[in-house]
PDB file of all heavy atoms in Angstrom:
ATOM      1  N   MET A   1      95.967  33.226  35.029  1.00 91.00           N
ATOM      2  CA  MET A   1      97.394  33.079  34.932  1.00 91.00           C
ATOM      3  C   MET A   1      97.988  34.366  34.427  1.00 91.00           C
ATOM      4  O   MET A   1      99.007  34.788  34.867  1.00 91.00           O
ATOM      5  CB  MET A   1      97.667  31.922  34.039  1.00 91.00           C
ATOM      6  CG  MET A   1      99.178  31.677  33.894  1.00 91.00           C
ATOM      7  SD  MET A   1      99.609  30.153  33.066  1.00 91.00           S
ATOM      8  CE  MET A   1      99.375  30.583  31.368  1.00 91.00           C
ATOM      9  N   LEU A   2      97.436  34.997  33.399  1.00 92.00           N
ATOM     10  CA  LEU A   2      97.974  36.189  32.849  1.00 92.00           C
ATOM     11  C   LEU A   2      97.990  37.331  33.874  1.00 92.00           C
ATOM     12  O   LEU A   2      98.923  38.124  33.931  1.00 92.00           O
ATOM     13  CB  LEU A   2      97.222  36.653  31.584  1.00 92.00           C
ATOM     14  CG  LEU A   2      97.390  35.745  30.362  1.00 92.00           C
ATOM     15  CD1 LEU A   2      96.447  36.161  29.264  1.00 92.00           C
ATOM     16  CD2 LEU A   2      98.825  35.771  29.904  1.00 92.00           C
ATOM     17  N   GLU A   3      96.932  37.391  34.671  1.00 93.00           N
ATOM     18  CA  GLU A   3      96.863  38.416  35.707  1.00 93.00           C
ATOM     19  C   GLU A   3      97.975  38.184  36.779  1.00 93.00           C
ATOM     20  O   GLU A   3      98.533  39.132  37.262  1.00 93.00           O
ATOM     21  CB  GLU A   3      95.472  38.413  36.384  1.00 93.00           C
ATOM     22  CG  GLU A   3      94.426  38.942  35.480  1.00 93.00           C
ATOM     23  CD  GLU A   3      93.017  38.762  36.086  1.00 93.00           C
ATOM     24  OE1 GLU A   3      92.839  37.872  36.935  1.00 93.00           O
ATOM     25  OE2 GLU A   3      92.111  39.474  35.649  1.00 93.00           O
ATOM     26  N   GLU A   4      98.237  36.913  37.047  1.00 95.00           N
ATOM     27  CA  GLU A   4      99.248  36.580  38.094  1.00 95.00           C
ATOM     28  C   GLU A   4     100.669  37.063  37.681  1.00 95.00           C
ATOM     29  O   GLU A   4     101.525  37.316  38.554  1.00 95.00           O
ATOM     30  CB  GLU A   4      99.265  35.107  38.297  1.00 95.00           C
ATOM     31  CG  GLU A   4      98.028  34.592  39.046  1.00 95.00           C
ATOM     32  CD  GLU A   4      98.008  33.084  39.173  1.00 95.00           C
ATOM     33  OE1 GLU A   4      98.984  32.428  38.823  1.00 95.00           O
ATOM     34  OE2 GLU A   4      96.962  32.588  39.602  1.00 95.00           O
ATOM     35  N   ILE A   5     100.878  37.166  36.374  1.00 95.00           N
ATOM     36  CA  ILE A   5     102.247  37.641  35.921  1.00 95.00           C
ATOM     37  C   ILE A   5     102.256  39.094  35.501  1.00 95.00           C
ATOM     38  O   ILE A   5     103.187  39.557  34.876  1.00 95.00           O
ATOM     39  CB  ILE A   5     102.792  36.724  34.820  1.00 95.00           C
ATOM     40  CG1 ILE A   5     101.880  36.669  33.634  1.00 95.00           C
ATOM     41  CG2 ILE A   5     103.063  35.349  35.388  1.00 95.00           C
ATOM     42  CD1 ILE A   5     102.472  35.942  32.420  1.00 95.00           C
ATOM     43  N   GLY A   6     101.162  39.818  35.857  1.00 95.00           N
ATOM     44  CA  GLY A   6     101.177  41.266  35.672  1.00 95.00           C
ATOM     45  C   GLY A   6     100.456  41.845  34.487  1.00 95.00           C
ATOM     46  O   GLY A   6     100.481  43.044  34.253  1.00 95.00           O
ATOM     47  N   PHE A   7      99.731  41.005  33.717  1.00 96.00           N
ATOM     48  CA  PHE A   7      98.992  41.545  32.573  1.00 96.00           C
ATOM     49  C   PHE A   7      97.635  42.149  33.066  1.00 96.00           C
ATOM     50  O   PHE A   7      97.088  41.672  34.046  1.00 96.00           O
ATOM     51  CB  PHE A   7      98.728  40.483  31.510  1.00 96.00           C
ATOM     52  CG  PHE A   7      99.934  40.189  30.709  1.00 96.00           C
ATOM     53  CD1 PHE A   7     100.809  39.154  31.019  1.00 96.00           C
ATOM     54  CD2 PHE A   7     100.205  40.951  29.553  1.00 96.00           C
ATOM     55  CE1 PHE A   7     101.921  38.882  30.268  1.00 96.00           C
ATOM     56  CE2 PHE A   7     101.334  40.718  28.800  1.00 96.00           C
ATOM     57  CZ  PHE A   7     102.187  39.642  29.134  1.00 96.00           C
ATOM     58  N   ALA A   8      97.163  43.140  32.314  1.00 97.00           N
ATOM     59  CA  ALA A   8      95.905  43.770  32.640  1.00 97.00           C
ATOM     60  C   ALA A   8      95.024  43.898  31.373  1.00 97.00           C
ATOM     61  O   ALA A   8      95.591  43.667  30.273  1.00 97.00           O
ATOM     62  CB  ALA A   8      96.154  45.148  33.297  1.00 97.00           C
ATOM     63  N   ASP A   9      93.827  44.282  31.532  1.00 97.00           N
ATOM     64  CA  ASP A   9      92.935  44.487  30.379  1.00 97.00           C
ATOM     65  C   ASP A   9      92.912  43.266  29.458  1.00 97.00           C
ATOM     66  O   ASP A   9      93.042  43.393  28.233  1.00 97.00           O
ATOM     67  CB  ASP A   9      93.300  45.753  29.616  1.00 97.00           C
ATOM     68  CG  ASP A   9      93.292  46.972  30.461  1.00 97.00           C
ATOM     69  OD1 ASP A   9      92.454  47.093  31.384  1.00 97.00           O
ATOM     70  OD2 ASP A   9      94.123  47.861  30.251  1.00 97.00           O
ATOM     71  N   ILE A  10      92.732  42.125  30.032  1.00 97.00           N
ATOM     72  CA  ILE A  10      92.748  40.862  29.257  1.00 97.00           C
ATOM     73  C   ILE A  10      91.447  40.655  28.541  1.00 97.00           C
ATOM     74  O   ILE A  10      90.372  40.748  29.136  1.00 97.00           O
ATOM     75  CB  ILE A  10      93.069  39.713  30.209  1.00 97.00           C
ATOM     76  CG1 ILE A  10      94.430  39.911  30.891  1.00 97.00           C
ATOM     77  CG2 ILE A  10      93.078  38.382  29.438  1.00 97.00           C
ATOM     78  CD1 ILE A  10      94.652  39.059  32.095  1.00 97.00           C
ATOM     79  N   GLU A  11      91.537  40.369  27.243  1.00 97.00           N
ATOM     80  CA  GLU A  11      90.347  40.056  26.431  1.00 97.00           C
ATOM     81  C   GLU A  11      90.595  38.760  25.739  1.00 97.00           C
ATOM     82  O   GLU A  11      91.667  38.507  25.198  1.00 97.00           O
ATOM     83  CB  GLU A  11      90.103  41.154  25.433  1.00 97.00           C
ATOM     84  CG  GLU A  11      89.780  42.519  26.008  1.00 97.00           C
ATOM     85  CD  GLU A  11      89.516  43.538  24.955  1.00 97.00           C
ATOM     86  OE1 GLU A  11      88.979  43.207  23.895  1.00 97.00           O
ATOM     87  OE2 GLU A  11      89.874  44.685  25.190  1.00 97.00           O
ATOM     88  N   ILE A  12      89.590  37.892  25.769  1.00 96.00           N
ATOM     89  CA  ILE A  12      89.662  36.576  25.105  1.00 96.00           C
ATOM     90  C   ILE A  12      88.651  36.568  23.960  1.00 96.00           C
ATOM     91  O   ILE A  12      87.462  36.871  24.165  1.00 96.00           O
ATOM     92  CB  ILE A  12      89.368  35.460  26.092  1.00 96.00           C
ATOM     93  CG1 ILE A  12      90.372  35.514  27.236  1.00 96.00           C
ATOM     94  CG2 ILE A  12      89.428  34.080  25.398  1.00 96.00           C
ATOM     95  CD1 ILE A  12      90.118  34.559  28.384  1.00 96.00           C
ATOM     96  N   GLY A  13      89.141  36.197  22.810  1.00 97.00           N
ATOM     97  CA  GLY A  13      88.306  36.180  21.625  1.00 97.00           C
ATOM     98  C   GLY A  13      87.508  34.896  21.441  1.00 97.00           C
ATOM     99  O   GLY A  13      87.601  33.979  22.313  1.00 97.00           O
ATOM    100  N   PRO A  14      86.822  34.753  20.327  1.00 97.00           N
ATOM    101  CA  PRO A  14      86.019  33.563  20.067  1.00 97.00           C
ATOM    102  C   PRO A  14      86.906  32.322  19.780  1.00 97.00           C
ATOM    103  O   PRO A  14      88.068  32.491  19.354  1.00 97.00           O
ATOM    104  CB  PRO A  14      85.216  33.934  18.906  1.00 97.00           C
ATOM    105  CG  PRO A  14      86.008  34.969  18.170  1.00 97.00           C
ATOM    106  CD  PRO A  14      86.746  35.710  19.259  1.00 97.00           C
ATOM    107  N   PRO A  15      86.396  31.128  20.014  1.00 94.00           N
ATOM    108  CA  PRO A  15      87.134  29.918  19.711  1.00 94.00           C
ATOM    109  C   PRO A  15      87.436  29.786  18.212  1.00 94.00           C
ATOM    110  O   PRO A  15      86.663  30.246  17.370  1.00 94.00           O
ATOM    111  CB  PRO A  15      86.239  28.772  20.177  1.00 94.00           C
ATOM    112  CG  PRO A  15      84.881  29.314  20.243  1.00 94.00           C
ATOM    113  CD  PRO A  15      85.014  30.815  20.461  1.00 94.00           C
ATOM    114  N   SER A  16      88.550  29.172  17.950  1.00 92.00           N
ATOM    115  CA  SER A  16      88.976  28.989  16.536  1.00 92.00           C
ATOM    116  C   SER A  16      89.426  27.570  16.321  1.00 92.00           C
ATOM    117  O   SER A  16      90.088  26.995  17.210  1.00 92.00           O
ATOM    118  CB  SER A  16      90.127  29.983  16.235  1.00 92.00           C
ATOM    119  OG  SER A  16      90.627  29.721  14.938  1.00 92.00           O
ATOM    120  N   ASP A  17      89.070  26.958  15.192  1.00 90.00           N
ATOM    121  CA  ASP A  17      89.483  25.605  14.916  1.00 90.00           C
ATOM    122  C   ASP A  17      90.955  25.650  14.418  1.00 90.00           C
ATOM    123  O   ASP A  17      91.189  25.974  13.257  1.00 90.00           O
ATOM    124  CB  ASP A  17      88.567  25.000  13.883  1.00 90.00           C
ATOM    125  CG  ASP A  17      88.958  23.636  13.458  1.00 90.00           C
ATOM    126  OD1 ASP A  17      89.835  23.017  14.137  1.00 90.00           O
ATOM    127  OD2 ASP A  17      88.416  23.121  12.486  1.00 90.00           O
ATOM    128  N   THR A  18      91.876  25.371  15.279  1.00 87.00           N
ATOM    129  CA  THR A  18      93.288  25.421  14.931  1.00 87.00           C
ATOM    130  C   THR A  18      93.845  24.081  14.466  1.00 87.00           C
ATOM    131  O   THR A  18      95.001  23.988  14.090  1.00 87.00           O
ATOM    132  CB  THR A  18      94.124  25.944  16.093  1.00 87.00           C
ATOM    133  OG1 THR A  18      93.871  25.104  17.198  1.00 87.00           O
ATOM    134  CG2 THR A  18      93.730  27.381  16.487  1.00 87.00           C
ATOM    135  N   PHE A  19      93.032  22.999  14.518  1.00 86.00           N
ATOM    136  CA  PHE A  19      93.521  21.672  14.192  1.00 86.00           C
ATOM    137  C   PHE A  19      92.985  21.128  12.898  1.00 86.00           C
ATOM    138  O   PHE A  19      93.275  20.010  12.521  1.00 86.00           O
ATOM    139  CB  PHE A  19      93.201  20.707  15.339  1.00 86.00           C
ATOM    140  CG  PHE A  19      93.996  20.926  16.544  1.00 86.00           C
ATOM    141  CD1 PHE A  19      93.476  21.683  17.586  1.00 86.00           C
ATOM    142  CD2 PHE A  19      95.294  20.427  16.680  1.00 86.00           C
ATOM    143  CE1 PHE A  19      94.234  21.918  18.750  1.00 86.00           C
ATOM    144  CE2 PHE A  19      96.041  20.590  17.791  1.00 86.00           C
ATOM    145  CZ  PHE A  19      95.517  21.374  18.857  1.00 86.00           C
ATOM    146  N   GLY A  20      92.186  21.922  12.197  1.00 85.00           N
ATOM    147  CA  GLY A  20      91.623  21.470  10.909  1.00 85.00           C
ATOM    148  C   GLY A  20      92.679  21.038   9.960  1.00 85.00           C
ATOM    149  O   GLY A  20      93.602  21.786   9.607  1.00 85.00           O
ATOM    150  N   GLY A  21      92.622  19.815   9.505  1.00 89.00           N
ATOM    151  CA  GLY A  21      93.580  19.266   8.522  1.00 89.00           C
ATOM    152  C   GLY A  21      94.889  18.738   9.151  1.00 89.00           C
ATOM    153  O   GLY A  21      95.706  18.173   8.467  1.00 89.00           O
ATOM    154  N   ALA A  22      94.999  18.861  10.459  1.00 90.00           N
ATOM    155  CA  ALA A  22      96.227  18.385  11.143  1.00 90.00           C
ATOM    156  C   ALA A  22      96.076  16.886  11.459  1.00 90.00           C
ATOM    157  O   ALA A  22      94.968  16.339  11.566  1.00 90.00           O
ATOM    158  CB  ALA A  22      96.446  19.147  12.419  1.00 90.00           C
ATOM    159  N   GLY A  23      97.181  16.246  11.747  1.00 89.00           N
ATOM    160  CA  GLY A  23      97.173  14.823  12.107  1.00 89.00           C
ATOM    161  C   GLY A  23      96.388  14.534  13.377  1.00 89.00           C
ATOM    162  O   GLY A  23      95.807  13.466  13.502  1.00 89.00           O
ATOM    163  N   GLY A  24      96.356  15.473  14.301  1.00 88.00           N
ATOM    164  CA  GLY A  24      95.643  15.271  15.553  1.00 88.00           C
ATOM    165  C   GLY A  24      94.180  15.759  15.535  1.00 88.00           C
ATOM    166  O   GLY A  24      93.552  15.840  16.580  1.00 88.00           O
ATOM    167  N   GLU A  25      93.660  16.087  14.360  1.00 91.00           N
ATOM    168  CA  GLU A  25      92.337  16.623  14.304  1.00 91.00           C
ATOM    169  C   GLU A  25      91.241  15.725  14.911  1.00 91.00           C
ATOM    170  O   GLU A  25      90.421  16.245  15.682  1.00 91.00           O
ATOM    171  CB  GLU A  25      91.947  16.915  12.768  1.00 91.00           C
ATOM    172  CG  GLU A  25      90.587  17.555  12.668  1.00 91.00           C
ATOM    173  CD  GLU A  25      90.252  17.878  11.265  1.00 91.00           C
ATOM    174  OE1 GLU A  25      91.027  17.583  10.276  1.00 91.00           O
ATOM    175  OE2 GLU A  25      89.190  18.467  11.026  1.00 91.00           O
ATOM    176  N   PRO A  26      91.286  14.408  14.705  1.00 91.00           N
ATOM    177  CA  PRO A  26      90.253  13.553  15.341  1.00 91.00           C
ATOM    178  C   PRO A  26      90.288  13.657  16.882  1.00 91.00           C
ATOM    179  O   PRO A  26      89.227  13.731  17.539  1.00 91.00           O
ATOM    180  CB  PRO A  26      90.568  12.169  14.887  1.00 91.00           C
ATOM    181  CG  PRO A  26      91.287  12.348  13.577  1.00 91.00           C
ATOM    182  CD  PRO A  26      92.096  13.592  13.775  1.00 91.00           C
ATOM    183  N   ASN A  27      91.446  13.718  17.441  1.00 90.00           N
ATOM    184  CA  ASN A  27      91.563  13.855  18.915  1.00 90.00           C
ATOM    185  C   ASN A  27      91.072  15.242  19.381  1.00 90.00           C
ATOM    186  O   ASN A  27      90.407  15.354  20.359  1.00 90.00           O
ATOM    187  CB  ASN A  27      93.000  13.653  19.364  1.00 90.00           C
ATOM    188  CG  ASN A  27      93.452  12.193  19.241  1.00 90.00           C
ATOM    189  OD1 ASN A  27      92.634  11.291  19.246  1.00 90.00           O
ATOM    190  ND2 ASN A  27      94.716  12.032  19.008  1.00 90.00           N
ATOM    191  N   ALA A  28      91.429  16.248  18.627  1.00 90.00           N
ATOM    192  CA  ALA A  28      90.997  17.614  18.999  1.00 90.00           C
ATOM    193  C   ALA A  28      89.451  17.682  18.926  1.00 90.00           C
ATOM    194  O   ALA A  28      88.847  18.291  19.790  1.00 90.00           O
ATOM    195  CB  ALA A  28      91.604  18.615  18.014  1.00 90.00           C
ATOM    196  N   ARG A  29      88.854  17.029  17.936  1.00 89.00           N
ATOM    197  CA  ARG A  29      87.388  17.019  17.839  1.00 89.00           C
ATOM    198  C   ARG A  29      86.756  16.279  19.028  1.00 89.00           C
ATOM    199  O   ARG A  29      85.796  16.705  19.626  1.00 89.00           O
ATOM    200  CB  ARG A  29      86.947  16.405  16.541  1.00 89.00           C
ATOM    201  CG  ARG A  29      87.395  17.073  15.308  1.00 89.00           C
ATOM    202  CD  ARG A  29      86.347  18.098  14.836  1.00 89.00           C
ATOM    203  NE  ARG A  29      86.820  18.718  13.604  1.00 89.00           N
ATOM    204  CZ  ARG A  29      87.373  19.901  13.563  1.00 89.00           C
ATOM    205  NH1 ARG A  29      87.581  20.572  14.644  1.00 89.00           N
ATOM    206  NH2 ARG A  29      87.785  20.400  12.404  1.00 89.00           N
ATOM    207  N   ALA A  30      87.369  15.141  19.367  1.00 92.00           N
ATOM    208  CA  ALA A  30      86.813  14.293  20.456  1.00 92.00           C
ATOM    209  C   ALA A  30      86.869  15.032  21.787  1.00 92.00           C
ATOM    210  O   ALA A  30      85.947  14.846  22.611  1.00 92.00           O
ATOM    211  CB  ALA A  30      87.614  12.973  20.544  1.00 92.00           C
ATOM    212  N   PHE A  31      87.871  15.855  22.020  1.00 91.00           N
ATOM    213  CA  PHE A  31      87.994  16.578  23.290  1.00 91.00           C
ATOM    214  C   PHE A  31      87.609  18.022  23.165  1.00 91.00           C
ATOM    215  O   PHE A  31      87.815  18.812  24.119  1.00 91.00           O
ATOM    216  CB  PHE A  31      89.427  16.449  23.805  1.00 91.00           C
ATOM    217  CG  PHE A  31      89.760  14.988  24.196  1.00 91.00           C
ATOM    218  CD1 PHE A  31      90.486  14.190  23.348  1.00 91.00           C
ATOM    219  CD2 PHE A  31      89.341  14.504  25.427  1.00 91.00           C
ATOM    220  CE1 PHE A  31      90.798  12.911  23.681  1.00 91.00           C
ATOM    221  CE2 PHE A  31      89.648  13.208  25.760  1.00 91.00           C
ATOM    222  CZ  PHE A  31      90.339  12.386  24.934  1.00 91.00           C
ATOM    223  N   GLU A  32      87.044  18.405  22.023  1.00 88.00           N
ATOM    224  CA  GLU A  32      86.587  19.817  21.837  1.00 88.00           C
ATOM    225  C   GLU A  32      87.700  20.852  22.138  1.00 88.00           C
ATOM    226  O   GLU A  32      87.513  21.760  22.903  1.00 88.00           O
ATOM    227  CB  GLU A  32      85.322  20.086  22.647  1.00 88.00           C
ATOM    228  CG  GLU A  32      84.195  19.206  22.274  1.00 88.00           C
ATOM    229  CD  GLU A  32      82.903  19.472  23.029  1.00 88.00           C
ATOM    230  OE1 GLU A  32      82.804  20.460  23.734  1.00 88.00           O
ATOM    231  OE2 GLU A  32      81.973  18.655  22.912  1.00 88.00           O
ATOM    232  N   VAL A  33      88.875  20.626  21.545  1.00 88.00           N
ATOM    233  CA  VAL A  33      90.024  21.473  21.709  1.00 88.00           C
ATOM    234  C   VAL A  33      89.976  22.588  20.679  1.00 88.00           C
ATOM    235  O   VAL A  33      89.874  22.340  19.504  1.00 88.00           O
ATOM    236  CB  VAL A  33      91.322  20.691  21.589  1.00 88.00           C
ATOM    237  CG1 VAL A  33      92.500  21.644  21.692  1.00 88.00           C
ATOM    238  CG2 VAL A  33      91.400  19.595  22.643  1.00 88.00           C
ATOM    239  N   TYR A  34      90.075  23.845  21.130  1.00 90.00           N
ATOM    240  CA  TYR A  34      90.078  24.982  20.236  1.00 90.00           C
ATOM    241  C   TYR A  34      91.202  25.940  20.660  1.00 90.00           C
ATOM    242  O   TYR A  34      91.643  25.930  21.804  1.00 90.00           O
ATOM    243  CB  TYR A  34      88.755  25.766  20.331  1.00 90.00           C
ATOM    244  CG  TYR A  34      87.595  24.938  19.821  1.00 90.00           C
ATOM    245  CD1 TYR A  34      86.743  24.233  20.698  1.00 90.00           C
ATOM    246  CD2 TYR A  34      87.286  24.777  18.455  1.00 90.00           C
ATOM    247  CE1 TYR A  34      85.667  23.457  20.269  1.00 90.00           C
ATOM    248  CE2 TYR A  34      86.228  24.039  18.023  1.00 90.00           C
ATOM    249  CZ  TYR A  34      85.446  23.379  18.890  1.00 90.00           C
ATOM    250  OH  TYR A  34      84.400  22.616  18.453  1.00 90.00           O
ATOM    251  N   GLY A  35      91.568  26.817  19.777  1.00 92.00           N
ATOM    252  CA  GLY A  35      92.510  27.867  20.100  1.00 92.00           C
ATOM    253  C   GLY A  35      91.670  29.150  20.354  1.00 92.00           C
ATOM    254  O   GLY A  35      90.603  29.325  19.784  1.00 92.00           O
ATOM    255  N   TYR A  36      92.201  30.005  21.200  1.00 94.00           N
ATOM    256  CA  TYR A  36      91.537  31.242  21.527  1.00 94.00           C
ATOM    257  C   TYR A  36      92.516  32.413  21.390  1.00 94.00           C
ATOM    258  O   TYR A  36      93.597  32.391  22.028  1.00 94.00           O
ATOM    259  CB  TYR A  36      90.992  31.242  22.974  1.00 94.00           C
ATOM    260  CG  TYR A  36      89.868  30.293  23.156  1.00 94.00           C
ATOM    261  CD1 TYR A  36      90.071  28.949  23.416  1.00 94.00           C
ATOM    262  CD2 TYR A  36      88.577  30.742  23.092  1.00 94.00           C
ATOM    263  CE1 TYR A  36      89.040  28.081  23.588  1.00 94.00           C
ATOM    264  CE2 TYR A  36      87.514  29.858  23.259  1.00 94.00           C
ATOM    265  CZ  TYR A  36      87.735  28.522  23.532  1.00 94.00           C
ATOM    266  OH  TYR A  36      86.730  27.662  23.683  1.00 94.00           O
ATOM    267  N   PRO A  37      92.204  33.416  20.605  1.00 95.00           N
ATOM    268  CA  PRO A  37      93.049  34.564  20.547  1.00 95.00           C
ATOM    269  C   PRO A  37      92.847  35.388  21.820  1.00 95.00           C
ATOM    270  O   PRO A  37      91.772  35.425  22.412  1.00 95.00           O
ATOM    271  CB  PRO A  37      92.529  35.356  19.356  1.00 95.00           C
ATOM    272  CG  PRO A  37      91.135  34.958  19.206  1.00 95.00           C
ATOM    273  CD  PRO A  37      91.055  33.551  19.683  1.00 95.00           C
ATOM    274  N   PHE A  38      93.933  36.057  22.264  1.00 94.00           N
ATOM    275  CA  PHE A  38      93.768  36.920  23.393  1.00 94.00           C
ATOM    276  C   PHE A  38      94.614  38.179  23.261  1.00 94.00           C
ATOM    277  O   PHE A  38      95.554  38.188  22.456  1.00 94.00           O
ATOM    278  CB  PHE A  38      94.186  36.208  24.740  1.00 94.00           C
ATOM    279  CG  PHE A  38      95.594  35.775  24.813  1.00 94.00           C
ATOM    280  CD1 PHE A  38      96.516  36.604  25.339  1.00 94.00           C
ATOM    281  CD2 PHE A  38      96.021  34.520  24.375  1.00 94.00           C
ATOM    282  CE1 PHE A  38      97.870  36.241  25.436  1.00 94.00           C
ATOM    283  CE2 PHE A  38      97.318  34.169  24.447  1.00 94.00           C
ATOM    284  CZ  PHE A  38      98.244  35.028  24.992  1.00 94.00           C
ATOM    285  N   LEU A  39      94.199  39.207  23.952  1.00 96.00           N
ATOM    286  CA  LEU A  39      94.873  40.465  23.900  1.00 96.00           C
ATOM    287  C   LEU A  39      95.009  40.919  25.377  1.00 96.00           C
ATOM    288  O   LEU A  39      94.074  40.827  26.145  1.00 96.00           O
ATOM    289  CB  LEU A  39      94.040  41.486  23.117  1.00 96.00           C
ATOM    290  CG  LEU A  39      94.530  42.919  23.037  1.00 96.00           C
ATOM    291  CD1 LEU A  39      95.856  42.905  22.220  1.00 96.00           C
ATOM    292  CD2 LEU A  39      93.523  43.798  22.377  1.00 96.00           C
ATOM    293  N   ALA A  40      96.233  41.366  25.735  1.00 97.00           N
ATOM    294  CA  ALA A  40      96.441  41.800  27.099  1.00 97.00           C
ATOM    295  C   ALA A  40      97.502  42.924  27.087  1.00 97.00           C
ATOM    296  O   ALA A  40      98.262  42.996  26.138  1.00 97.00           O
ATOM    297  CB  ALA A  40      96.894  40.651  27.950  1.00 97.00           C
ATOM    298  N   ARG A  41      97.493  43.667  28.111  1.00 97.00           N
ATOM    299  CA  ARG A  41      98.431  44.782  28.224  1.00 97.00           C
ATOM    300  C   ARG A  41      99.289  44.555  29.456  1.00 97.00           C
ATOM    301  O   ARG A  41      98.770  44.228  30.513  1.00 97.00           O
ATOM    302  CB  ARG A  41      97.636  46.054  28.339  1.00 97.00           C
ATOM    303  CG  ARG A  41      98.501  47.321  28.491  1.00 97.00           C
ATOM    304  CD  ARG A  41      97.617  48.561  28.558  1.00 97.00           C
ATOM    305  NE  ARG A  41      96.682  48.571  29.704  1.00 97.00           N
ATOM    306  CZ  ARG A  41      97.025  48.942  30.921  1.00 97.00           C
ATOM    307  NH1 ARG A  41      98.220  49.370  31.184  1.00 97.00           N
ATOM    308  NH2 ARG A  41      96.108  48.947  31.876  1.00 97.00           N
ATOM    309  N   LYS A  42     100.583  44.794  29.340  1.00 95.00           N
ATOM    310  CA  LYS A  42     101.480  44.691  30.481  1.00 95.00           C
ATOM    311  C   LYS A  42     101.849  46.134  30.924  1.00 95.00           C
ATOM    312  O   LYS A  42     102.621  46.813  30.225  1.00 95.00           O
ATOM    313  CB  LYS A  42     102.716  43.887  30.157  1.00 95.00           C
ATOM    314  CG  LYS A  42     103.638  43.701  31.355  1.00 95.00           C
ATOM    315  CD  LYS A  42     103.947  42.246  31.568  1.00 95.00           C
ATOM    316  CE  LYS A  42     104.732  42.096  32.854  1.00 95.00           C
ATOM    317  NZ  LYS A  42     105.300  40.788  32.999  1.00 95.00           N
ATOM    318  N   PRO A  43     101.275  46.596  32.004  1.00 94.00           N
ATOM    319  CA  PRO A  43     101.527  47.945  32.443  1.00 94.00           C
ATOM    320  C   PRO A  43     103.015  48.182  32.762  1.00 94.00           C
ATOM    321  O   PRO A  43     103.682  47.250  33.227  1.00 94.00           O
ATOM    322  CB  PRO A  43     100.688  48.094  33.722  1.00 94.00           C
ATOM    323  CG  PRO A  43      99.715  47.019  33.699  1.00 94.00           C
ATOM    324  CD  PRO A  43     100.334  45.879  32.886  1.00 94.00           C
ATOM    325  N   GLY A  44     103.427  49.353  32.552  1.00 86.00           N
ATOM    326  CA  GLY A  44     104.799  49.685  32.997  1.00 86.00           C
ATOM    327  C   GLY A  44     105.584  50.177  31.921  1.00 86.00           C
ATOM    328  O   GLY A  44     106.426  50.585  31.454  1.00 86.00           O
TER     329      GLY A  44
END
């Protein structure tokens, strides 16, 4: 998706537990939901 809108040099980092302590934490655990940091460059 990022490439489709013109980003290049896309890097995706390791998974991160972004739901720890949140109300939806049990659901996030059940569905193995994680956040991922990313870095991309938009040429131009």
